[in-house]
Amino acid sequence: MAAPETFIKALQREPITCPRTACREHVDCTDVSSPQDRVKTYHLRCDACGWEDRVRGSDESAVPWDEAALQTMMDEHLLHLQPVCPDDCAPVVFTSLPNPRRKARYRIACFYCGRQVEMDWPPQETKW
């Protein structure tokens, strides 16, 4: 299942055009999610024609990512590419977390399916 193009554009703050063929104007996109939500919800509204819609993630994260998927996402992040969730092709977000021991700690999250994982960086097995 792939994330809808409209959701991905809203997540990345890219311009969205009205889906009505007679209008095709710019749509205002507002994030109506609360900070603790695992999936994002966006309200879309076209000022020109009055069209409105809501776009929300699916929140079907029963199975966490496996090690191979995490490694692929980390490699893409390190190469300054846009890592995507292997299950729905939505962009994942790397967030730096505070850590009192001065070690790097990150949260990797997909705001479409709701999967999240927290991990130390670099992983223990890659340290020399």
Side-chain angles (χ1 to χ4, degrees):
M1 168 184 68
E5 182 181 346
T6 306
F7 181 86
I8 294 172
K9 285 184 174 186
L11 181 66
Q12 295 182 326
R13 295 178 177 88
E14 293 178 3
I16 300 172
T17 56
C18 183
R20 291 185 177 171
T21 54
C23 182
R24 308 305 289 175
E25 291 292 322
H26 178 74
V27 171
D28 291 327
C29 180
T30 307
D31 184 356
V32 293
S33 311
S34 62
Q36 65 269 16
D37 287 348
R38 293 176 73 92
V39 297
K40 294 272 188 185
T41 304
Y42 296 96
H43 180 260
L44 307 173
R45 184 176 192 294
C46 178
D47 288 333
C49 69
W51 173 84
E52 291 188 44
D53 195 12
R54 260 184 190 236
V55 179
R56 185 177 192 281
S58 68
D59 197 17
E60 297 177 4
S61 60
V63 180
W65 291 309
D66 61 6
E67 289 298 318
L70 284 172
Q71 186 62 47
T72 301
M73 290 186 287
M74 287 186 292
D75 290 345
E76 290 172 345
H77 179 70
L78 288 173
L79 292 171
H80 300 283
L81 302 172
Q82 176 65 64
V84 295
C85 178
D87 299 311
D88 52 41
C89 298
V92 295
V93 177
F94 282 68
T95 306
S96 179
L97 300 173
N99 193 336
R101 295 192 182 122
R102 299 249 186 228
K103 294 180 182 176
R105 185 149 182 85
Y106 291 90
R107 176 182 299 125
I108 304 171
C110 175
F111 290 119
Y112 185 74
C113 68
R115 286 180 177 86
Q116 292 184 359
V117 65
E118 292 183 8
M119 60 187 308
D120 293 324
W121 190 265
Q124 191 65 30
E125 61 271 7
T126 60
K127 294 182 181 177
W128 303 11

